[in-house]
Structure formats: structure tokens, C-alpha cells
Amino acid sequence: MLNLVLFGPPGAGKGTQSAKLIEKYGLIHLSTGDLLRAEITAGTDLGLEAKKLMDQGILVPDSVVIGMIENKLNENKGAAGFIFDGFPRTVAQAEALDTLLEGHQLSIKHMISLEVNQEELTQRLLERGKTSGRPDDQNEDLIRKRVQEYGEKTAPVAGYYASQGKFQGIDGIGEIEEIFGQIVRIIEG
Ligand code: ADP
């Protein structure tokens, strides 16, 4: 089982690298952002509540995303492994993930952090907003709010994994293939 956390601020390239990792290792991709957007599209109560926060660039409550991840772990018991993308985003989520995985006799192997400076992030997200249709990518104030939430609530998650000896930082600026090569080297050690 290969269980990875792909970590980094909005726009760091987690989705791009996840797609390549899935192809190479046959992993299941668990993106809480994608799961929340699916709830919004389906018009569920959870989606309606989450949308109010997401449209302001604020994190949704821990209990909501932890519940979603729990369901997905239960639905995919025979998986080759999981990539967690955009989760955990708070230390409480990281602790809950460890507890959930322990319940399945699983654990995180590596936490891979894509490091990109704020100026580059803003440019990438505005560019993505032109085609993604994501409202949270189309407004510079909202992007700044998301990056601020990241700094305050999510950045401490790096220390959580560092204390377990699982943190691996990578420069997220460069060619997609080159960055992927670095991730593969970490995985294949
Ligand atoms: P990004 O490109 O900003 O990393 P995501 O698709 O991962 O985008 O997330 C979009 C929004 O969904 C976030 O700004 C947040 O409101 C919400 N969200 C996604 N994952 C989580 C999570 N693990 N905890 C809390 N909120 C989340």
C-alpha cells in the first residue's frame, strides 16, 4: 500500500502531479476540493453549506471533510493506495486521518510538499480561473484569502508530518516532468 499526502498552497500543482501519480501507481485520488465541488453540483445540503464558505475562500469545517474521507476509505478497501490532495488542511484533520488509517491498518508513507511562492501562485490561479470555471480562482482578493487561510491553518500541518519524519519538500516551480521525477525518486527511495 502506498499512501501519500500531496501538500502545498492553492495553485502549487497538486492536481497535476496527482494525475501523473495515479497513472503510474494505480492509486485512488481523494481530493476534498473535488468531493466538495461534486456535492455542490449535486445540490446536496452539505454542498450548499460548503459553497458559502468556499466562495469566501474559507475552509469548511473539519468534521465535514473528515466524514467524506472516512466514507471514501470504506468504499475503497482493496485499493493499491491513496493520494490525499488538499487534505489534511488542518492539524486536527491530520490527526483524524492518522486515526482513520490506523483503523484500516494503514499509514501515510510520505508527505510531499510542493513549494511555490505567492506571486507565482496568484498568477497560476488567475490563469486557471480563465478556463476552470471555478469562482474562487477568478478574483484576486479571494485568492489572497485562500493563501492566508493556508498560511494560518494549513502550513502547521507540515510540522505535524515533519515530527513523524515523513515531510519531504520539493521546489514546485519548474517543468511538470522534472517535478514528477523528484516525487518518484522520493517514493522509490
Ligand atoms: P485549492 O486549489 O485552493 O487547493 P481545493 O479544490 O483543494 O483548492 O479547495 C477549494 C476549497 O474547498 C477550499 O478553499 C476550501 O474552502 C474547501 N476545502 C477543500 N478541502 C478542504 C479541507 N480539507 N478542509 C477544509 N476545507 C476544504
Side-chain angles (χ1 to χ4, degrees), residues 53-69:
L53 297 166
M54 292 166 76
D55 283 351
Q56 298 172 71
I58 299 172
L59 295 185
V60 306
D62 288 337
S63 58
V64 171
V65 288
I66 292 166
M68 293 178 128
I69 292 288

Side-chain angles (χ1 to χ4, degrees), residues 9-11 14 32-34 36-37 53-54 57-60 65 86-87 89 93 125 128 134 136 146:
K14 301 184 293 287
T32 41
D34 287 352
L36 289 166
R37 282 184 289 275
L53 297 166
M54 292 166 76
I58 299 172
L59 295 185
V60 306
V65 288
F87 177 91
R89 248 181 164 93
Q93 290 178 23
L125 290 170
R128 181 168 86 184
R134 278 180 54 170
D136 59 348
R146 284 156 64 203

Side-chain angles (χ1 to χ4, degrees), residues 64-75:
V64 171
V65 288
I66 292 166
M68 293 178 128
I69 292 288
E70 183 172 16
N71 290 341
K72 289 289 163 188
L73 290 177
N74 289 331
E75 280 168 20

Side-chain angles (χ1 to χ4, degrees), residues 125-166:
L125 290 170
L126 287 171
E127 200 52 44
R128 181 168 86 184
K130 289 181 192 162
T131 52
S132 70
R134 278 180 54 170
D136 59 348
D137 283 345
Q138 290 174 30
N139 171 319
E140 212 165 323
D141 286 343
L142 209 50
I143 290 174
R144 214 168 293 121
K145 178 68 194 165
R146 284 156 64 203
V147 173
Q148 185 193 334
E149 281 278 276
Y150 177 84
E152 287 173 10
K153 298 178 182 165
T154 306
V157 173
Y160 179 86
Y161 286 99
S163 71
Q164 297 184 358
K166 294 177 178 172

Side-chain angles (χ1 to χ4, degrees), residues 62 66 90-97:
D62 288 337
I66 292 166
T90 62
V91 172
Q93 290 178 23
E95 288 167 351
L97 178 59

Side-chain angles (χ1 to χ4, degrees), residues 79-110:
F82 296 95
I83 300 181
F84 297 94
D85 167 1
F87 177 91
R89 248 181 164 93
T90 62
V91 172
Q93 290 178 23
E95 288 167 351
L97 178 59
D98 272 350
T99 304
L100 284 175
L101 290 173
E102 272 165 32
H104 292 261
Q105 276 92 48
L106 301 175
S107 63
I108 294 296
K109 184 90 190 292
H110 302 289

